[in-house]
Amino acid sequence: MLPETLLCLLNAGIALAQAKQQLPLNSNSQFSPSNPPNPPVFSLPTAANLTITVALCSSTNSPPKFFVTNSSSAGVPGPGGGDDVFEIAVEEGHGSWTGIFDDGGVLAVQDIGQTSFELGISDQGPIHELLSNSDLPLLGDTTSNQALIFSPAFAEEVEPRPTYPNYTLPSANSSQRSAPSGSPNFTLILSPTSSSSPLTALPQTGCMLSSQRSTGTLSSQNFWLRDTKGWRNQWLIEALTPATNYTAYVVQDRTKVSGPIHFVTKSASFACPLVFNLPYCPNVAYTVPLPQPPTTAGSNAYTALNLPDEITKPLLAYLTNFTTTLTTFACGRDWYSPIVGCDDCQREYRKWLCTITFTRCGEPSPANPRSFTSSPAPPDATGLSALHPKDPSAPPQRVFSALLPQSTDIAKARSRTLPAMGSAYAMLLPCLEVCTAVDRACPSLVGFTCPTVQFNAAASYGVGYSDSAEGEQGEGATGAAQDRWGNIWCNGG
Ligand SMILES: *[C@@H]1O[C@H](CO)[C@@H](O)[C@H](O)[C@H]1NC(C)=O
Ligand SMILES: *[C@@H]1O[C@H](CO)[C@@H](O)[C@H](O)[C@H]1NC(C)=O
Ligand SMILES: *[C@@H]1O[C@H](CO)[C@@H](O)[C@H](O)[C@H]1NC(C)=O
Ligand SMILES: *[C@@H]1O[C@H](CO)[C@@H](O)[C@H](O)[C@H]1NC(C)=O
Ligand SMILES: *[C@@H]1O[C@H](CO)[C@@H](O)[C@H](O)[C@H]1NC(C)=O
Ligand SMILES: *[C@@H]1O[C@H](CO)[C@@H](O)[C@H](O)[C@H]1NC(C)=O
Ligand SMILES: *[C@@H]1O[C@H](CO)[C@@H](O)[C@H](O)[C@H]1NC(C)=O
């Protein structure tokens, strides 16, 4: 015979069990003051591995609390705890709990107040997520009032390797394939960075961020296969303010948050236009010392549609010749390496050739105006070093960008195929790693070599950023060509 109080509790539990709303599997449920959960108790489906995620969609000083149980006998879970009763910790607006729900379970929400929130129930990984730092948005480049930004890569494109006897490499004038179907919906949210930035103070959730007004005007948006990491969404944003630090987030399907990153627009006098959307040079997405593009193109940038033939023709000719030479080697038969093939060699050569052909412009960061070397490197230099130990005015471990001031004299410009821009600019040297990648991927018979200590050309690469000056991979001063704070050290291609 059960005590009477326990019987009452059990009855209350049964009554609630009948009123409970079922949260469907693999879906996201939205609640707001006009659509509150009533009662705020949900039954959960049976699953071997269920992930419950919470996202707050409004700011509040007293956030609701979320309790879950995977026990069929625990009743309504709450702060009193009990066997198999857990509280879902909510941080920066996100909460997540994963566990075994062999008998289903119950989710209860307390102290809802006027808060809007979402509940994601899934057996295929979390629905709401703050993506990790390896999945940040990627800055292409900025002008004084434009920014080219990429989402994190979302779908890898696995190309079948060509095989002997039909060893066919992509043509020099290759085109982009069509984006995978079912691609996610991406939203870019931009705001000027400030100590009271409206974005960083909010819950860092998809529903909250995507409800915010984004700065600037969207000029174009498309999917782009930039490199082997996979497809990305690409945005060109215009009408930004010169020399301004911006904060950017990318939200995927209103639920997964990537960011924040920072970037800085160039000063008002910066004259180099953006070049991007070149199928044969998919990595090029930065400013290049060219005359202003013809205004007929709609937006103020160069793409494959309005880039002069004088640039494209020699580039494709070089690439065609290289590919012809490459395929005279035993591609696909006698492997010169177990891990790389002629296809890798061609891809890395293409990236190098594009990076060299399209000289990149740059500018010292306004926050760090002296962080580049103002005196041209001597003709026998092997490249600009990330750390300038010989500069007497610089503290020894300050990192410098690989920027080289250029006069209007075209003969001194690195790339001979670019028409003169007609004004001075600063060139951001390619990272040496763009070259060493070709060296590593290509058969030694091709004869491609990168500058070493005895290199005799003028300063031509940024050295010591990703890899150390001695060539140890990942041991450089910054570990990358650019960072999430808006610093760009060298042209990573
Ligand atoms: C509830 O979750 C706990 C912890 O994950 C697990 O040990 C237990 O087996 C689960 N109970 C049921 C009935 O699934
Ligand atoms: C359960 O799902 C989570 C999220 O997808 C995953 O990280 C974890 O490895 C899974 N656990 C099991 C036992 O499958
Ligand atoms: C060789 O491969 C290319 C690309 O993979 C294909 O288009 C072509 O039809 C193939 N040729 C033969 C003879 O199999
Ligand atoms: C490259 O291909 C595109 C379309 O595939 C074509 O319009 C363009 O003329 C080609 N460029 C050259 C230099 O052959
Ligand atoms: C993307 O958004 C559009 C319109 O808002 C919608 O119709 C579509 O279903 C969404 N796609 C995905 C994968 O969420
Ligand atoms: C490509 O090869 C052909 C034939 O060998 C040669 O005439 C031409 O100059 C080469 N073009 C380039 C850009 O190297
Ligand atoms: C942009 O602002 C952020 C936040 O104040 C700062 O950490 C970052 O260094 C700034 N970026 C540049 C390039 O000045």
Side-chain angles (χ1 to χ4, degrees), residues 373-454:
T373 177
S374 50
S375 51
D380 61 346
T382 59
L384 284 185
S385 179
L387 305 167
H388 284 267
K390 291 192 201 104
D391 186 338
S393 65
Q397 286 307 303
R398 194 155 125 205
V399 182
F400 286 77
S401 289
L403 278 172
L404 260 192
Q406 301 289 302
S407 67
T408 49
D409 180 0
I410 187 67
K412 286 200 191 127
R414 183 187 171 88
S415 177
R416 301 287 153 83
T417 56
L418 297 183
M421 179 169 77
S423 57
Y425 66 95
M427 171 162 96
L428 186 74
L429 296 178
C431 310
L432 183 61
E433 291 77 10
V434 177
C435 188
T436 45
V438 187
D439 213 349
R440 289 198 189 105
C442 290
S444 53
L445 282 171
V446 171
F448 187 92
T449 48
C450 294
T452 51
V453 186
Q454 66 275 14

Side-chain angles (χ1 to χ4, degrees), residues 182-185 253:
S183 300
N185 277 339
D253 292 334

Side-chain angles (χ1 to χ4, degrees), residues 49 51 98 124-126:
N49 188 16
T51 304
T98 301
Q124 293 159 7

Side-chain angles (χ1 to χ4, degrees), residues 182-434:
S183 300
N185 277 339
F186 289 99
T187 315
L188 172 70
I189 302 106
L190 281 189
S191 162
T193 306
S194 76
S195 53
S196 60
S197 175
L199 292 184
T200 43
L202 298 172
Q204 302 291 291
T205 57
C207 52
M208 184 78 246
L209 291 168
S210 31
S211 70
Q212 300 303 301
R213 206 186 73 81
S214 185
T215 313
T217 52
L218 176 66
S219 167
S220 74
Q221 143 161 247
N222 57 296
F223 290 118
W224 194 250
L225 187 59
R226 183 186 149 81
D227 53 31
T228 51
K229 293 204 177 84
W231 287 93
R232 298 170 186 268
N233 198 76
Q234 171 183 258
W235 292 271
L236 177 61
I237 305 294
E238 304 196 313
L240 299 175
T241 310
T244 303
N245 188 323
Y246 286 89
T247 304
Y249 288 88
V250 168
V251 177
Q252 184 178 325
D253 292 334
R254 279 189 90 253
T255 53
K256 291 184 167 52
V257 176
S258 161
I261 61 160
H262 297 280
F263 65 86
V264 184
T265 45
K266 305 290 195 303
S267 56
S269 61
F270 185 83
C272 301
L274 279 168
V275 177
F276 72 115
N277 269 353
L278 307 181
Y280 42 86
C281 285
N283 66 297
V284 171
Y286 51 80
T287 54
V288 175
L290 286 172
Q292 286 308 301
T295 49
T296 47
S299 89
N300 202 15
Y302 284 102
T303 67
L305 298 177
N306 60 351
L307 194 71
D309 273 354
E310 303 97 276
I311 307 174
T312 320
K313 284 226 169 88
L315 181 132
L316 294 178
Y318 276 120
L319 194 53
T320 304
N321 275 14
F322 181 83
T323 307
T324 308
T325 311
L326 183 60
T327 43
T328 63
F329 296 102
C331 289
R333 277 180 294 166
D334 300 327
W335 290 87
Y336 55 87
S337 152
I339 44 170
V340 289
C342 292
D343 50 341
D344 300 299
C345 170
Q346 192 213 29
R347 187 189 63 240
E348 294 304 329
Y349 181 83
R350 181 194 294 273
K351 179 174 173 185
W352 174 83
L353 184 66
C354 292
T355 308
I356 297 302
T357 303
F358 293 100
T359 302
R360 180 164 175 168
C361 297
E363 193 181 71
S365 154
N368 214 0
R370 292 191 4 89
S371 62
F372 75 106
T373 177
S374 50
S375 51
D380 61 346
T382 59
L384 284 185
S385 179
L387 305 167
H388 284 267
K390 291 192 201 104
D391 186 338
S393 65
Q397 286 307 303
R398 194 155 125 205
V399 182
F400 286 77
S401 289
L403 278 172
L404 260 192
Q406 301 289 302
S407 67
T408 49
D409 180 0
I410 187 67
K412 286 200 191 127
R414 183 187 171 88
S415 177
R416 301 287 153 83
T417 56
L418 297 183
M421 179 169 77
S423 57
Y425 66 95
M427 171 162 96
L428 186 74
L429 296 178
C431 310
L432 183 61
E433 291 77 10
V434 177

Side-chain angles (χ1 to χ4, degrees), residues 152-189:
F154 64 87
E156 222 179 309
E157 181 85 20
V158 194
E159 249 216 283
R161 264 222 153 125
T163 50
Y164 180 79
N166 181 17
Y167 198 98
T168 314
L169 289 170
S171 72
N173 188 11
S174 63
S175 49
Q176 283 258 316
R177 267 156 289 156
S178 47
S181 60
S183 300
N185 277 339
F186 289 99
T187 315
L188 172 70
I189 302 106

